[in-house]
Amino acid sequence: MLADDLPIVLDRCRPEPLAVQVADALRAAASGGLLRVGDRLASTRALASRLGVSRTVTAAAYDQLLAEGWLVGRRGSGTFVTAAPPSARHRPATAAAHAPTSGRPVAAAGAIDLTSGRPCLDALDRAAWRRAWRVASDRVPAGEPDYAGALEFRQAVVDHLLRHRGLPAGADQVLATAGTTDALDELAALLPAGASVGFEEPGYRRAAETLVARGIRLVPVPVDGDGLRVDRLPSGLAAVYCTPAHQFPLGPRLSAARRVALVERARAEGFLVLEDDYDGELRYDVAPLPLLAALGPDVVAYLGTSSKLLTPTLGVGWLVAPPAMHAELLAARERAGMRPSPAGQLVFAALADYGDLARHLRRLRAELTERRARVVAALSGTGAALLGDAAGAHLRVTLPSAAAERALMAAAAEAGVLLQGLLDCHRCPPSAFGVSLGYARPPRPALDRGVAIVADLVRRAWSDPVSG
Amino acid sequence: MLADDLPIVLDRCRPEPLAVQVADALRAAASGGLLRVGDRLASTRALASRLGVSRTVTAAAYDQLLAEGWLVGRRGSGTFVTAAPPSARHRPATAAAHAPTSGRPVAAAGAIDLTSGRPCLDALDRAAWRRAWRVASDRVPAGEPDYAGALEFRQAVVDHLLRHRGLPAGADQVLATAGTTDALDELAALLPAGASVGFEEPGYRRAAETLVARGIRLVPVPVDGDGLRVDRLPSGLAAVYCTPAHQFPLGPRLSAARRVALVERARAEGFLVLEDDYDGELRYDVAPLPLLAALGPDVVAYLGTSSKLLTPTLGVGWLVAPPAMHAELLAARERAGMRPSPAGQLVFAALADYGDLARHLRRLRAELTERRARVVAALSGTGAALLGDAAGAHLRVTLPSAAAERALMAAAAEAGVLLQGLLDCHRCPPSAFGVSLGYARPPRPALDRGVAIVADLVRRAWSDPVSG
């Protein structure tokens, strides 16, 4: 109870000064439960005498702990422990805090991650990556927050959008974001309470969760081989969310005619289009299609992210919204004092400035083209159709039934392979069965192993559709 | 209209290959309005002939633009511009997008920023800063998002909270955030719709805006020289927001007795305490007081940030919540796919690992101690009371009336000095007049100049309270 009884072992061979060792030992005693709030410590003199050190040492240790707020000294009555109540030391970490909650499979160590939306780290040039951080570290640290995002980042995004997505926009039209669903959340906050938003069915579950959490009512709209069925949009919508570059999870690209039709309906009916340009930079053997934001900058809010192109470590995305909405978003950020973290923005800007972003995209396309060919080759002849492989970094593998999908997902997980099942992406009774197979994330050998396992399971599912 | 007519000037002395120059010129033409969607380009042969280059050059330029999605090639009919519609080029940037919206003064170039909540960049060791970015760049880029935040960051926060705030918490109890109001926004999303939250009056406006934007009803609770009047909290609250370390904007610290009383009431009545540990690391000549989160880890959500201690460039903060709430927050992040950007977390962790964070805090305290003394000296004898200077990096300067406050704010702005007025922090009829004067941000000479201007204005306000 008194510091006299505490086990304090000093080691004169350790590099830390003795005073630091004494302070560390007392701190450990308090956080480990040996000392409690209200406990009185031995005097510096008594402790020094017991430990065989000078009183300067123990006084310095107490001073440090006083300064840190662990101890309080009362003149004439000694030194007491003032913080670290026992209850805080024994806070249980609940099991729930660690349980998966999203329905998304969680990668065990050694598992092969074939879920979609993962980056291809193999394409990342680590020397360029390091240089970008070094360049970013030379920027003068900010004295005040920038609610739109770092200017050099927005300029890099302007260049990226113009060169790689054919979208002309000024730096004052770009807002930095922490990613696509973060941006979606900000936009959803501007929609009227209880607003109806058209949503692809099946669709991107995280986007759905984000909108629902803001009190949005989702209206499912079917998807076919040309993307969202624009003709099936009901009236009275406040917005429509879609993934025109590579519909998630089915994989088609929204046809040119439907793009025009969607923008025309948005203008005529006054709704907002939320264009999630997921995988927009990745396209194989097919002509580019104009962005919705290029066709209708007055009615489209455009969302992009670097998480899938580079790595989630940067945590940066971008948002180009119609002017009035841009102003509203910025005003809301300033009112609340919220803005995405700038650190990753500076790294992204440096990557772009040095041409490393463009080089990375070229490498990434080449790598994914090769991977896609291997995946298609491995899966052909299994009986499944392979769909949505003209863009992006995942393709859809059809399965004959919900039961077959569930069985395959379970068997794949058992074999250490993570996939995204289509059942999980439906809000209505499912219209399509199968899995979305992402081929960006694992190193090549693991990819080949994982795909071979999946191919085998898919072949079995189609050869015996009833029991599969 | 045809590429034949475009002004393309090639320069063989420029380092860029000719094909890049041709592609750049065509891109500039499209974004500048010289080319429009649907325009047909000259054949590669015709353009090569006109420019006096080989056809390889023009073909490479067209290939590049095809790959970027600007052009589309139709077999047998030529190459057409497919993206960059004119409407997108001429998007007006609205004036509203640039207008200040928060009521907070906006720093003009050359203005002296004495608002509170700014960092002291003078205390930042740029060599240590650069090293931290270099260390962060050596981390393996992430293949998947980490919804709690980077582990090394959470470990650094654990150490910081234990050593500098006397709060024991495990890394699995810490969530990385993008900052204090971001964390508050996440917490508010968990409260029932229309919930009542006790809020300091006057109080931190950005926190108020954040809560109100989530549909929270704020219940103003008065503040006196011992901080929040805990005895004046009404019943039926879902939560209480407060700034116990240094009440914003009035400056007192919440007394020990009130801390205990607040936690006891929270337990008895089942409300959550939102402890914004604003300026908690800064304290002068006074004993530390236990954190609310240390007294009541079961009922307190603790919020900290690095923006004021270091710089907003990192964009990182932390949140320690009761276990059930921690699990709820993490589940909500996973469902929506949202998490704060990790890049700044890695830099913060590297700063902490190398001992630079602790060294920075020591330097910062020394620098602010000195600055505080100069500010107090400059303002003493002006007739104003100087309050709340025992902690933090701002103090309160009293003024005789609302009119005096408005006049002083206007005169200071006119003289290029930005301050935070107290009127702006009230939701009820104001109970206190004056300004909050932050002394962290400007370099020393500018600080001295700014404070001299304010001192002069304050003296005049008190010498002639009626006309002032």
Side-chain angles (χ1 to χ4, degrees):
Chain A
M1 183 134 170
L2 296 187
D4 293 285
D5 309 311
L6 291 175
I8 298 182
V9 180
L10 301 180
D11 178 353
R12 282 160 210 272
C13 300
R14 278 172 58 196
E16 296 91 338
L18 291 174
V20 172
Q21 295 188 37
V22 171
D24 283 348
L26 291 173
R27 228 186 265 105
S31 61
L34 292 171
L35 279 176
R36 288 163 188 268
V37 172
D39 282 359
R40 177 180 173 172
L41 296 187
S43 70
T44 53
R45 186 185 306 271
L47 184 60
S49 156
R50 177 165 80 85
L51 297 175
V53 297
S54 81
R55 198 181 155 192
T56 322
V57 167
T58 51
Y62 280 31
D63 282 349
Q64 173 64 23
L65 296 172
L66 283 160
E68 288 173 14
W70 283 85
L71 302 181
V72 63
R74 297 183 201 146
R75 194 173 303 277
S77 64
T79 304
F80 296 82
V81 177
T82 189
S87 52
R89 274 196 295 274
H90 301 299
R91 268 190 228 193
T94 59
H98 302 288
T101 50
S102 61
R104 186 177 186 125
V106 171
I112 300 173
D113 187 351
L114 301 184
T115 56
S116 38
R118 299 295 189 224
C120 180
L121 297 183
D122 280 3
L124 199 63
D125 174 353
R126 292 295 296 279
W129 174 256
R130 284 200 192 85
R131 177 171 60 220
W133 285 73
R134 200 164 58 236
V135 169
S137 79
D138 283 333
R139 309 291 312 180
V140 177
E144 38 282 310
D146 185 336
Y147 292 107
L151 181 59
E152 55 265 59
F153 169 74
R154 290 183 284 125
Q155 284 164 338
V157 169
V158 163
D159 192 60
H160 175 74
L161 293 179
L162 187 62
R163 287 174 179 261
H164 298 289
R165 304 304 295 127
L167 181 66
D172 60 348
Q173 297 169 311
V174 173
L175 291 178
T177 71
T180 297
T181 49
D182 287 86
L184 203 53
D185 183 55
E186 284 188 76
L187 287 161
L190 300 186
L191 297 178
S196 294
V197 171
F199 199 88
E200 293 166 336
E201 172 66 22
Y204 181 38
R205 183 174 163 145
R206 290 216 153 93
E209 298 277 3
T210 300
L211 295 171
V212 166
R214 281 285 184 182
I216 300 289
R217 200 173 68 82
L218 295 186
V219 180
V221 181
V223 173
D224 65 18
D226 282 330
L228 185 77
R229 286 282 303 269
V230 175
D231 61 319
R232 298 280 293 272
L233 288 172
S235 59
L237 297 175
V240 171
Y241 167 87
C242 57
T243 52
H246 192 214
Q247 201 274 335
F248 186 85
L250 298 186
R253 302 195 304 150
L254 188 63
S255 71
R258 288 194 189 170
R259 287 172 192 247
V260 172
L262 180 56
V263 167
E264 279 174 0
R265 280 200 63 175
R267 284 195 179 121
E269 299 174 28
F271 63 75
L272 176 72
V273 177
L274 302 162
E275 178 175 28
D276 180 350
D277 194 30
Y278 173 76
D279 278 352
E281 291 85 354
L282 305 172
R283 186 180 70 239
Y284 315 101
D285 309 332
V286 287
L289 290 166
L291 291 184
L292 296 173
L295 296 172
D298 48 327
V299 290
V300 177
Y302 173 88
L303 310 172
T305 178
S306 70
S307 289
K308 295 161 187 75
L309 285 184
L310 289 158
T311 154
T313 290
L314 293 183
V316 298
W318 43 87
L319 164 61
V320 181
M325 179 155 272
H326 176 102
E328 270 192 271
L329 290 165
L330 200 50
R333 287 182 179 191
E334 290 184 10
R335 269 198 309 276
M338 289 194 276
R339 80 283 170 262
S341 164
Q345 298 169 22
L346 300 182
V347 176
F348 182 93
L351 278 173
D353 273 0
Y354 281 69
D356 289 314
L357 180 61
R359 276 189 286 276
H360 172 74
L361 287 177
R362 282 199 292 276
R363 259 196 322 275
L364 181 64
R365 285 199 192 100
E367 173 72 21
L368 291 177
T369 299
E370 169 72 20
R371 286 172 172 236
R372 171 173 156 271
R374 293 164 84 97
V375 171
V376 168
L379 286 163
S380 60
T382 55
L386 306 180
L387 303 171
D389 65 330
H394 64 88
L395 48 77
R396 170 161 62 116
V397 184
T398 59
L399 287 170
S401 65
E405 181 184 323
R406 282 195 204 95
L408 184 138
M409 291 286 291
E414 180 77 15
V417 176
L418 302 179
L419 295 162
Q420 168 78 55
L422 293 194
L423 290 171
D424 229 25
C425 303
H426 283 79
R427 304 182 68 81
C428 305
S431 56
F433 309 108
V435 294
S436 162
L437 188 155
Y439 46 85
R441 178 73 182 90
R444 286 252 199 131
L447 177 66
D448 289 345
R449 276 203 312 282
V451 171
I453 291 169
V454 175
D456 192 47
L457 294 171
V458 170
R459 191 175 291 111
R460 278 194 259 164
W462 280 104
S463 67
D464 184 8
V466 179
S467 75
Chain B
M1 181 133 171
L2 296 185
D4 293 287
D5 309 313
L6 291 174
I8 298 181
V9 179
L10 300 180
D11 179 352
R12 282 161 209 273
C13 299
R14 280 171 57 197
E16 297 91 336
L18 291 173
V20 172
Q21 295 188 36
V22 172
D24 282 348
L26 291 172
R27 227 186 265 108
S31 61
L34 292 172
L35 279 176
R36 287 163 188 268
V37 172
D39 281 359
R40 178 180 173 169
L41 296 188
S43 70
T44 53
R45 187 184 305 270
L47 184 60
S49 157
R50 175 164 82 86
L51 298 176
V53 298
S54 81
R55 197 179 158 195
T56 321
V57 167
T58 51
Y62 280 31
D63 282 349
Q64 173 65 21
L65 296 172
L66 283 161
E68 288 173 14
W70 283 85
L71 302 182
V72 63
R74 297 183 200 149
R75 193 172 305 277
S77 64
T79 305
F80 296 83
V81 177
T82 189
S87 53
R89 274 195 294 276
H90 301 298
R91 267 188 231 196
T94 59
H98 303 286
T101 49
S102 61
R104 184 175 188 128
V106 171
I112 300 173
D113 188 351
L114 301 183
T115 58
S116 40
R118 299 294 189 224
C120 181
L121 296 183
D122 280 2
L124 199 62
D125 174 353
R126 292 294 297 279
W129 174 256
R130 285 199 191 85
R131 177 170 62 220
W133 284 74
R134 200 164 59 238
V135 169
S137 79
D138 283 333
R139 308 292 311 181
V140 177
E144 38 283 310
D146 184 335
Y147 293 106
L151 180 60
E152 55 265 59
F153 170 73
R154 291 182 284 123
Q155 283 165 339
V157 169
V158 163
D159 192 58
H160 174 75
L161 293 179
L162 187 63
R163 287 174 179 262
H164 298 289
R165 304 303 297 128
L167 181 65
D172 60 348
Q173 297 169 312
V174 173
L175 290 178
T177 71
T180 297
T181 49
D182 287 86
L184 204 52
D185 183 56
E186 284 188 75
L187 287 161
L190 299 186
L191 296 178
S196 294
V197 171
F199 200 86
E200 293 165 336
E201 170 68 21
Y204 181 37
R205 183 174 161 145
R206 290 217 153 95
E209 298 278 4
T210 301
L211 295 172
V212 167
R214 282 285 184 183
I216 299 290
R217 199 173 70 82
L218 295 187
V219 181
V221 182
V223 173
D224 65 17
D226 281 331
L228 184 77
R229 288 283 302 269
V230 175
D231 61 320
R232 296 280 293 274
L233 288 171
S235 60
L237 297 175
V240 171
Y241 167 87
C242 57
T243 53
H246 192 216
Q247 201 274 332
F248 187 85
L250 299 186
R253 304 194 304 151
L254 188 64
S255 70
R258 288 194 189 168
R259 288 172 191 245
V260 171
L262 180 56
V263 167
E264 279 174 358
R265 280 200 62 178
R267 284 194 178 122
E269 299 173 28
F271 63 75
L272 176 72
V273 177
L274 301 162
E275 179 175 29
D276 180 349
D277 193 29
Y278 172 76
D279 278 352
E281 290 85 354
L282 305 172
R283 185 180 69 241
Y284 315 103
D285 309 332
V286 288
L289 290 165
L291 292 183
L292 296 173
L295 295 171
D298 48 328
V299 290
V300 177
Y302 173 87
L303 310 171
T305 178
S306 70
S307 288
K308 295 160 187 77
L309 286 184
L310 288 157
T311 155
T313 291
L314 293 183
V316 297
W318 43 86
L319 164 61
V320 180
M325 179 153 273
H326 176 102
E328 269 192 272
L329 289 165
L330 200 50
R333 287 183 178 189
E334 290 184 9
R335 269 198 310 273
M338 290 194 275
R339 79 283 170 259
S341 163
Q345 296 169 24
L346 300 182
V347 177
F348 182 93
L351 278 173
D353 272 1
Y354 280 69
D356 289 314
L357 179 62
R359 275 189 288 275
H360 172 75
L361 287 177
R362 281 198 293 277
R363 258 195 322 274
L364 181 65
R365 284 198 193 99
E367 173 71 22
L368 292 177
T369 299
E370 169 72 18
R371 287 171 172 238
R372 171 174 156 270
R374 293 164 83 98
V375 171
V376 168
L379 286 164
S380 59
T382 56
L386 306 180
L387 304 172
D389 67 329
H394 65 90
L395 48 77
R396 171 159 62 117
V397 183
T398 59
L399 287 170
S401 65
E405 181 184 322
R406 283 196 202 94
L408 185 137
M409 291 285 291
E414 181 76 15
V417 176
L418 302 179
L419 295 161
Q420 168 77 56
L422 293 195
L423 290 172
D424 229 25
C425 304
H426 283 80
R427 304 182 67 82
C428 303
S431 55
F433 310 109
V435 294
S436 163
L437 188 155
Y439 45 85
R441 176 76 181 88
R444 286 252 200 132
L447 176 67
D448 288 345
R449 275 203 311 282
V451 171
I453 291 170
V454 174
D456 192 46
L457 293 171
V458 170
R459 190 176 293 110
R460 278 195 259 165
W462 280 103
S463 66
D464 185 8
V466 179
S467 75

